[in-house]
Each structure stands twice: as C-alpha cells, then as structure tokens.
Amino acid sequence: MPDFKAYLPYYKRNLQVALPVILTQLGAALVGLADSVMVGHYGTVDLAAVSFANGIFFTFMVFAMGALMGITPLVGHAFVQGDHVRVSRLLQNGLLFCVILSVVTTLLLALFVPLMPYMGQDPAVAEAARPYFIARVAGLLPFFLFSLQKQFLEGLGNTLVAMMITVGVNLLNIFLNWVLIFGKLGCPALGAYGAGLASLFATLLMPLLFFLVIMLKREWRWYVASFSLQQNSGACLRELVRVGFPIGIQTTMETVLFTISFIMVGWISKEALAAHHIANNVADLAFMLSLGVGSATTIRVSHQYGRGDYTAMRMASKASIHLILLMNTIGAGLMIGLRHYLPYLFTNDPEVIEIASPLLVCAGLFQYADGLQCVGAGMLRGITDVRRPMIYAIIAYVAVGLPLGYLLMFPAQMGVKGMWISFIVALSIVAVLFHSRYWSRIKTFGTWKS
C-alpha cells in the first residue's frame, strides 16, 4: 500500500493537471455520445453509418493527433529549463508540421470516399456514411490546429484553456446536432449528414478561440510575436517528427484494432455493428479518464525530468497509477452494473439492446488494462522514449489482437463478444510491456542530474 501522506501532494498536483484534460476529453466524447444518441434515435441505419465512417476517419486522425503529441514533452523540457526561444521555435515549426499532416491526411481519407460501397457494409449504411464522412474530413485542418495549440499549452503546464474552449464549443455542437439531425428551426432533417455538418461548424471555431486566448495573455503572446524566418528549422522539424511519428504510429495501432473491428463486426449484421458502436461509445467515456491521467502524467514526468528531479518523477508516476486504478474500478462497476439500461440511451431496437448489454461487461473488464497502458504510455512520452512503445503496440494490437478477434468471432463462433475479449488481451499485453519498459529505463536514475 502506498504511503498516503507522502503521495498526497502528488495526487493533488496530478489531479490539478489531469482534471481539466479529463473534462476536455469527456467534452469531446460527450459530443460523440450525443451524435450517437441523436442519430440512433433517428434510425439504426444512420447509427451504423456514423459508426462505419468514424471507424475509417479516426484511424487516420488519431495518427496525426498522436504525432502532434510529441510537442508536449519537448516544450515541457524547454519551458522548465527557461529556454523560451526554443519554446517559440517549437511552436512555429509545429504549425508547419500541423499543416503538412493535415494536407496528407485529407488526401489519404479522400481515397476512401469512392471505396465505401465496396467494403462489405450494408448498401444503405455505406450510402448514409458518405456525406457524414466528407463533412468530418473537411474539418481536419482546424481540428489539427486546435490539437497543436492544446498540446503546446499542456507543455507549458496549462490544461484549463483547452477545457473551457472544448466545453463551450461542444455545447454548440450538441445544439447544432439537434437542429440539423432532426430538422429543427426550419432546417431539413439530415440524419447522419447533419451530425457531420454540426461537427464541422463547431470545429472551425476551436483554433480561432485558442489563438485569441494565446494572443490575449502577454506571456504566451511573446511566443507568437517571436516568430521569424530564422526560426524555421529543419532540425526542429525533424525532432518533432522523431518524437511525434512513433507516438502517432503507436496510437494508430490501437485505433487500427478498433477500426478493423468495426468492419469485421459489420460482416455479422447492422444490428451487431450498432451494438458494437454503443459499447465503444460507453467505453470511450471511461477512456477519457485514462487519457486525461495519461496526458497529465506526460506533463508531470516531462517537467520533473527536465528539472532533473528523478525522485519526484517516480512519485508522480506512481501517483498516476494509483489514481487510474481507482478511477477504472469506479468506471468498470458502473458499466457492468448498468449494462441493461445504458443501451436504451442510444436506441429502442430490442435486437441491438440484447447484443449490446453483454458487451458492456467486457468493456468494463478491459478498463484496467486500458487505463494502465494509457498511463504507461504517458510516462514513457515524458522522457521521450517513444520508439520501443511503438513496436510493442504493433505487436500487441496488429499481430495479436486482430487475428485473435477474427478467430474468436468467426471460427470460434463467439460473435462480437469474441472481438471484445481480444481487446482485453491486446491491451493487457501493452500495459505490461509499457510499465516494464519505463521502470527498467529509470531504475538507474539518481535523485538529481549531476
């Protein structure tokens, strides 16, 4: 058992950093949940269409978002060392990196538009998914700019701004969902396409609001005012790629597992796909807790690592582990206890509800592995150890998780439940490997840098 008094300051500080991130991520997840609830009550075909389109969309978007996460530990190290010129240079080159990523990602996603009718889905689902998908792709650049600004301020230790902007914009998104999905206030009822348009309109506001906040605060405005041609740096851009790309690949491997699961589950039936989407949406809410604590861990570890205070770094890391185990226990209990009631939030289709309820038991059980792997990834990113975790993710998610999911779903005839069992196995492997890597890396660290 941890010494509560010794860890109390670390719990408090980690939570101070983590809670705004958790609320930010929960806000984003709640918009996805609102999309699903509203679209699900509009029609099962539209719910399956949103699920199918998002499966493809988020695979590519998650890579770019993961790649942009590399700026957080780099900014964190420079900021605590007082190297503000380097902080400004990282932001300027990060913006260039962001634009490049958005152009490449948009072009790649555009290739899927004509392919959707040929990916084994119900024709009605593929037809409804296409306009929703196009609307989401159109919002990539502003969303990536927001993500970059968010990661930059997290490197400075500020997580409140992203929370406030996300909450405000998400409320707008939910209102626009109501208007455009169901055709309120004189607008036509657009179903899934309306949800995509609502997300696009809301996303356009996010980077604009973030930039306004940065320019209003003198300390942050200096980083933008210091931009110059001389700060364009191939070396800095390569460093962002060196740290960011392995993070992007690592996060993408997990997303690939979930994305392909949507495609394979779609081979069973549209009801199974809708149920799978419901379970994923509920699990995503709990994952936002893990993601928030993981992001806070990266910030806390990067700052202590930059200062050279390795004792505080260890304590902050262990405090995150304790917190995530407590949070995931609560989340798992709620999912399992409410498994017969939560599906009704999304649909009234009895066949979908019957399939979704047992999936929520699996979703509850995998919270522990998911939370621990998220914190483990955060700790490793804080010390910019990103290549080995990328390899671990490829092995666990692609080489183990996908084949196991297919075997359990079809040859073993376990249906969609088999895919959820494979999720638990893959995430457990990653969690063990990440934590083993981190603690073996830092066991030789002293108390302070010499």
Side-chain angles (χ1 to χ4, degrees):
M1 292 293 292
D3 183 342
F4 182 76
K5 288 185 178 179
Y7 278 98
L8 186 58
Y10 294 92
Y11 294 146
K12 288 181 176 178
R13 181 57 184 149
N14 283 18
L15 283 173
Q16 285 174 352
V17 178
L19 283 175
V21 181
I22 290 171
L23 292 173
T24 301
Q25 300 297 340
L26 276 174
L30 283 171
V31 170
L33 184 65
D35 278 0
S36 297
V37 169
M38 293 181 181
V39 171
H41 285 285
Y42 185 83
T44 298
V45 168
D46 286 79
L47 179 60
V50 168
S51 172
F52 172 53
N54 278 337
I56 301 169
F57 176 74
F58 282 111
T59 302
F60 289 85
M61 192 182 78
V62 164
F63 169 77
M65 290 176 64
L68 293 172
M69 288 181 186
I71 196 172
T72 299
L74 295 174
V75 168
H77 297 165
F79 178 70
V80 298
Q81 293 167 1
D83 191 350
H84 299 293
V85 173
R86 173 167 167 75
V87 172
S88 177
R89 184 180 301 117
L90 284 165
L91 177 59
Q92 179 174 326
N93 287 275
L95 288 170
L96 176 59
F97 184 42
C98 183
V99 172
I100 294 171
L101 277 175
S102 67
V103 171
V104 173
T105 306
T106 299
L107 291 174
L108 289 173
L109 284 171
L111 298 176
F112 283 87
V113 174
L115 296 178
M116 283 185 167
Y118 307 101
M119 297 178 70
Q121 305 302 302
D122 185 294
V125 170
E127 182 64 27
R130 186 182 300 165
Y132 173 84
F133 182 77
I134 292 171
R136 295 305 307 270
V137 172
L140 276 177
L141 177 57
F143 186 79
F144 286 171
L145 289 172
F146 167 78
S147 297
L148 173 72
Q149 293 162 329
K150 172 180 174 293
Q151 298 299 147
F152 172 75
L153 286 192
E154 286 184 3
L156 302 182
N158 183 287
T159 54
L160 285 170
V161 171
M163 180 195 73
M164 292 186 291
I165 291 175
T166 302
V167 169
V169 170
N170 285 343
L171 290 174
L172 172 64
N173 199 344
I174 291 171
F175 171 72
L176 292 175
N177 274 339
W178 176 73
V179 172
L180 296 173
I181 292 173
F182 297 107
K184 304 297 184 179
L185 303 180
C187 294
L190 299 175
Y193 181 43
L197 288 178
S199 296
L200 174 60
F201 294 151
T203 300
L204 291 171
L205 283 178
M206 297 173 80
L208 297 176
L209 292 173
F210 225 127
F211 180 74
L212 179 62
V213 170
I214 289 175
M215 296 305 293
L216 288 175
K217 189 173 177 63
R218 182 173 56 84
E219 296 91 335
W220 298 342
R221 185 169 65 244
W222 183 88
Y223 295 124
V224 177
S226 299
F227 283 4
S228 66
L229 290 175
Q230 288 72 30
Q231 285 203 132
N232 287 331
S233 168
C236 187
L237 197 59
R238 285 193 295 274
E239 187 174 21
L240 289 169
V241 171
R242 178 186 65 80
V243 177
F245 265 43
I247 297 175
I249 293 171
Q250 175 200 321
T251 54
T252 300
M253 290 303 100
E254 183 176 0
T255 307
V256 163
L257 172 61
F258 283 86
T259 298
I260 296 181
S261 78
F262 280 101
I263 295 173
M264 289 196 291
V265 170
W267 297 341
I268 300 174
S269 69
K270 63 179 183 293
E271 289 79 15
L273 181 58
H276 186 53
H277 182 68
I278 289 170
N280 267 278
N281 266 266
V282 175
D284 279 348
L285 288 177
F287 177 66
M288 296 307 108
L289 301 176
S290 303
L291 198 58
V293 176
S295 296
T297 304
T298 297
I299 296 167
R300 297 280 287 131
V301 168
S302 69
H303 283 190
Q304 303 303 336
Y305 182 71
R307 293 189 181 102
D309 190 346
Y310 298 128
T311 297
M313 187 178 77
R314 291 188 182 96
M315 294 285 281
S317 300
K318 291 178 181 178
S320 287
I321 295 172
H322 304 156
L323 290 170
I324 204 62
L325 288 174
L326 174 62
M327 290 178 178
N328 287 156
T329 297
I330 295 170
L334 288 172
M335 265 183 250
I336 295 172
L338 298 174
R339 65 188 181 277
H340 296 300
Y341 307 101
L342 291 172
Y344 284 98
L345 294 173
F346 300 85
T347 182
N348 295 317
D349 188 324
E351 188 173 352
V352 174
I353 292 169
E354 183 180 357
I355 299 170
S357 294
L359 296 184
L360 290 173
V361 176
C362 298
L365 293 176
F366 94 158
Q367 293 308 306
Y368 293 101
D370 202 19
L372 288 172
Q373 70 84 20
C374 209
V375 169
M379 294 188 299
L380 290 168
R381 289 168 194 165
I383 60 173
T384 63
D385 184 351
V386 293
R387 285 185 172 271
R388 188 68 67 83
M390 173 188 70
I391 296 171
Y392 294 158
I394 293 171
I395 293 171
Y397 296 136
V398 178
V400 176
L402 279 176
L404 179 62
Y406 179 85
L407 290 172
L408 293 177
M409 273 206 302
F410 298 109
Q413 298 183 346
M414 295 181 67
V416 65
K417 189 186 296 185
M419 180 56 71
W420 281 84
I421 292 172
S422 78
F423 290 167
I424 296 172
V425 172
L427 289 164
S428 297
I429 292 171
V430 170
V432 170
L433 292 174
F434 282 3
H435 283 263
S436 298
R437 171 71 175 176
Y438 177 75
W439 295 108
S440 67
R441 279 291 313 275
I442 70 167
K443 67 181 179 182
T444 59
F445 288 11
T447 304
W448 289 89
K449 287 182 179 176
S450 59

